[in-house]
Amino acid sequence: MKKKPKIPRVVIGTVLVFLVLLSVFMAGHDLWRQKQAQDTFEDLADLVTAPEDPEESQVESSAPEESAEAQEPQEEQRNLSLLFEQNADCIGWICIPGTAVDYPLMHTPEDSEKYLRRDFYGAYSVNGVPFLDGRCSLESANLIIYGHNMKNGTMFGELDRYARDSYWREHPVIRLSTVDEDREYEIFAAFQTRLLYEGEEGFAYYAYTGDLSQEEYEEFVEQAKAMTPYDTGITPEYGEQLVMLSTCSYHTENGRFVVVGREKIE
């Protein structure tokens, strides 16, 4: 019986070295792509926060300095007109102050997941861009916005920190700027869940979106609050617009983490 020829150790070693180098290259390439995507978002953020009139900005900066006591922190004002001119799919800007959530908001009802793996300009991007569910409009009773849970904490990668009430207390609001107005939502619920199998009973949070009846609205609020591991003391009332931020969660198969806010009306 003939013995099978042995593979020389040098060949095995060469293959192993190649596989290690390939893994390092792929990991580095992924990091580079994520860095490129984040740089694009930072450029867009600079674009929408830049003053419209540079001369006016210079005049303001040359004014006498006020005392530290008289100075109050100013809310960042966004001018989205240039953003809309560059891409008509953009309908606003979503932000949670003090977190990494600070991105354009896309909406393509005819192709809801168009920006799942595209950047703002339409090129392939592992990060994608946060997008509003195609079943919604900005006037819907309950908006649902999707974004990726990136391991480096960008995009919606910090949402699962809302599992702790201390994080909610530090970051209690979601801001949504549109062409017409700046909206602010008080976060009242945050919970782990998962996508349900077809025919499975349970709380399918993603079904409670768009225009809801009063019964559906109150049912959603009750379920969302019950699944939140702490009491925010906030209970929305029918007629107050809701917004959900939804991202993947790795606690279970098809897991999701959801943060929900109600619009503050002054």
Side-chain angles (χ1 to χ4, degrees):
M1 185 176 180
K2 292 184 179 180
K3 294 183 177 179
K4 293 182 179 179
K6 293 183 178 179
I7 301 175
R9 291 183 178 179
V10 64
V11 174
I12 296 174
T14 301
V15 171
L16 291 175
V17 169
F18 172 77
L19 291 175
V20 169
L21 291 175
L22 180 62
S23 298
V24 171
F25 170 79
M26 294 300 293
H29 185 61
D30 285 344
L31 290 174
W32 177 80
R33 288 195 303 186
Q34 291 182 26
K35 177 65 166 55
Q36 290 289 100
Q38 199 57 31
D39 286 347
T40 298
F41 286 128
E42 290 176 3
D43 290 342
L44 292 171
D46 289 342
L47 179 67
V48 300
T49 55
E52 291 187 79
D53 187 350
E55 293 184 3
E56 180 181 340
S57 178
Q58 291 178 1
V59 171
E60 290 178 356
S61 63
S62 64
E65 294 186 4
E66 299 179 9
S67 64
E69 292 78 6
Q71 292 179 348
E72 294 183 359
Q74 299 293 315
E75 288 189 9
E76 199 170 52
Q77 298 297 313
R78 301 188 188 280
N79 174 21
L80 302 179
S81 58
L82 294 176
L83 214 57
F84 299 149
E85 289 174 8
Q86 293 194 29
N87 190 335
D89 291 341
C90 181
I91 59 168
W93 193 278
I94 188 76
C95 171
I96 300 180
T99 77
V101 179
D102 192 21
Y103 299 106
L105 177 63
M106 316 304 283
H107 189 219
T108 51
E110 70 289 350
D111 182 9
S112 189
E113 296 185 353
K114 178 179 178 179
Y115 288 91
L116 185 67
R117 293 298 182 189
R118 298 189 193 191
D119 69 10
F120 181 82
Y121 299 104
Y124 174 80
S125 170
V126 68
N127 291 46
V129 187
F131 60 92
L132 179 65
D133 191 295
R135 296 167 293 174
C136 300
S137 74
L138 285 172
E139 306 311 316
S140 296
N142 194 3
L143 312 178
I144 180 167
I145 298 171
Y146 300 99
H148 288 298
N149 183 352
M150 304 302 292
K151 292 182 179 180
N152 63 2
T154 58
M155 306 308 295
F156 284 3
E158 294 181 346
L159 287 191
D160 53 10
R161 297 184 183 183
Y162 278 98
R164 306 188 304 271
D165 66 337
S166 58
Y167 193 80
W168 161 69
R169 294 180 188 281
E170 292 171 0
H171 310 94
V173 299
I174 300 167
R175 289 179 182 157
L176 173 59
S177 298
T178 71
V179 66
D180 298 316
E181 60 184 335
D182 294 322
R183 305 177 187 177
E184 189 167 283
Y185 301 82
E186 296 176 299
I187 294 172
F188 72 90
F191 53 89
Q192 282 183 338
T193 185
R194 64 175 176 83
L195 302 182
L196 300 182
Y197 298 110
E198 186 175 354
E200 180 182 7
E201 294 185 359
F203 178 43
Y205 72 95
Y206 41 86
Y208 294 85
T209 191
D211 295 323
L212 304 178
S213 67
Q214 183 169 351
E215 181 181 1
E216 291 170 329
Y217 182 99
E218 292 174 351
E219 183 176 87
F220 171 80
V221 169
E222 180 181 0
Q223 293 273 10
K225 285 176 63 67
M227 294 186 68
T228 301
Y230 48 87
D231 184 9
T232 63
I234 301 170
T235 302
E237 297 181 359
Y238 185 65
E240 296 176 326
Q241 188 181 59
L242 307 179
V243 63
M244 290 187 277
L245 305 187
S246 175
T247 193
C248 290
S249 179
Y250 306 109
H251 66 284
T252 189
E253 184 179 7
N254 291 324
R256 296 291 186 271
F257 197 91
V258 185
V259 175
V260 196
R262 69 154 179 200
E263 187 175 10
K264 292 174 65 177
I265 305 297
E266 300 193 9

